[in-house]
Structure formats: C-alpha cells, structure tokens
Amino acid sequence: AQKITQTQPGMFVQEKEAVTLDCTYDTSDQSYGLFWYKQPSSGEMIFLIYQGSYDEQNATEGRYSLNFQKARKSANLVISASQLGDSAMYFCAMKNVRGSTLGRLYFGRGTQLTVWP
Amino acid sequence: NAGVTQTPKFRILKIGQSMTLQCAQDMNHNYMYWYRQDPGMGLKLIYYSVGAGITDKGEVPNGYNVSRSTTEYFPLRLELAAPSQTSVYFCASSYSGVGETQYFGPGTRLLVL
C-alpha cells in the first residue's frame, strides 16, 4: 500500500529565510508522481509543484523546489525566501500512474508552516 | 473558467438526514474525485470517476454514493448522516490520471449533529 509520511507537524521560519518541509513515501511501483499542495487558513487546496518518478532533474516552480531523492524515497519541499503569506498547512501527496489505483492521490498528514517577521 | 465549484459551502445536518454535495467542473476533465479531510489529517479518497458512467470506490466509501451521468458533474450523496461524517469535503478533477495535477474545489464543510 502507498504511504506518505510527513514527520514535522509544525515548522517555524523567519521571513526571507529558506525552509525545508520533509516528505517520505513508500510504494512498490516504479511509476508515480509526487505533489505538494498548500492549504491556507481559508481552506482551499493550492497545487504547488509536481515531480515524476522518472524525472531526472528536481522540479522547480518559482520559490518552490522539490528535493527528490529516489533511492531514499524522499520528496522534500524547499521554500526559498519565505514570505508571511507562506504561512499555511502543506501536504505532500503521491499518485500511482499504473494499475487500478490510477489517478488516486495519497496524502500525508501535513506540516503547519508559520513564517514570522 | 470557473474551475471546480462546490455547493454548498457549509451545511449542518441532523443525524439520519440525507443530502447531496454538488460538484461541477468546466475544464472538460475526465477524472473526478471526492475526498474528505478530518481535523488535523490529510485528505482521504471517498470515490472517484474516470469518465461519465464510470465510478469506483476509494479508501473510505462507506456511507456515501456517487453518480456521474455527465463529464461536468459528480455529486456525492450522503445517506443517513452520522457524526463520523463531520468533515470537510473536497471535489477535485484532472484531465487524466497520469502525471496530471488535480484541481480542487473550495470545499464543503459539513457538520452532523
């Protein structure tokens, strides 16, 4: 079964500093996708970044980058130059791309990030 | 494009009542999903659909039903509401299941008393 683990219930970072949010996953499949979503206090789910299991380069989207270490089964999110608006819950998720679970996202429990001035 | 829309935003139900959560998307996505998010937890899949007329169970389907008669709509039906169904419900869609991000609606907050 697929499993996503986020071991940091809460993280604090000062504005303009970088922060890394940890995510490890467990799957026996070779083809999968890894996602990070942001959930602000307003509740909506906002897609941040995607990494395919066969992508050789780490994904980047603006201030977000995904540190993908396939052998260690980790997909950490790095936020550079943190802003106060980055304060939110962050979810790591995985999707299989083959088989009967095609398209289903499996979520971790999330990390609450607080950015302070 | 409106993206994924959900109604209502908030609802209080009494135990044993039924209701339908509405979800619509205007992106012509084939795949649609229903998730629930309990306090302090990640999202769990209730049901999903890979196209009109095709639905399948997710991790936590008990107490729910779905239908998908068109590409655009994917309603979630709660029969005989129970306090354990108090949660935030998210609908999502994607064009395909392969490597595509899912776009989420704003959520429906449901309280069963």
Side-chain angles (χ1 to χ4, degrees), chain B residues 45-107:
Chain B
L45 184 67
I46 306 172
Y47 270 96
Y48 67 105
S49 169
V50 301
I54 306 170
T55 62
D56 203 355
K57 297 178 180 179
E59 298 174 76
V60 289
N62 291 342
Y64 307 94
N65 277 300
V66 294
S67 59
R68 183 111 180 260
S69 56
T70 67
T71 300
E72 295 81 8
Y73 301 102
F74 190 40
L76 178 71
R77 179 80 177 164
L78 277 72
E79 305 283 0
L80 299 174
S84 61
Q85 293 178 305
T86 294
S87 191
V88 180
Y89 292 84
F90 287 98
C91 180
S93 74
S94 64
Y95 183 69
S96 74
V98 180
E100 287 270 334
T101 188
Q102 292 180 12
Y103 296 89
F104 284 79

Side-chain angles (χ1 to χ4, degrees), chain A residues 15 22 25 34 38 68 70 99 105:
Chain A
E15 198 177 9
D22 294 341
Y25 59 92
L34 296 157
K38 173 183 178 181
F68 181 47
K70 192 171 183 177
L105 274 175

Side-chain angles (χ1 to χ4, degrees), chain B residues 26-39:
Chain B
D26 62 358
M27 298 175 281
N28 201 31
H29 284 170
N30 295 313
Y31 286 64
M32 296 188 74
Y33 312 82
W34 274 106
Y35 295 90
R36 60 177 285 173
Q37 184 182 27
D38 298 328

Side-chain angles (χ1 to χ4, degrees), chain A residues 32-97:
Chain A
Y32 50 88
L34 296 157
F35 301 79
W36 278 91
Y37 284 86
K38 173 183 178 181
Q39 187 177 44
S41 57
S42 52
E44 70 268 32
M45 296 289 288
I46 302 168
F47 165 73
L48 294 178
I49 196 167
Y50 165 79
Q51 177 88 39
S53 60
Y54 289 112
D55 294 340
E56 294 185 353
Q57 288 193 320
N58 287 342
T60 60
E61 290 285 350
R63 295 186 299 110
Y64 304 107
S65 61
L66 199 152
N67 184 359
F68 181 47
Q69 298 187 44
K70 192 171 183 177
R72 298 180 61 185
K73 293 188 175 178
S74 74
N76 299 338
L77 177 70
V78 180
I79 304 175
S80 63
S82 297
Q83 301 173 356
L84 296 178
D86 293 335
S87 293
M89 182 72 84
Y90 288 80
F91 290 99
C92 180
M94 182 178 69
K95 177 194 289 190
N96 293 97
V97 295

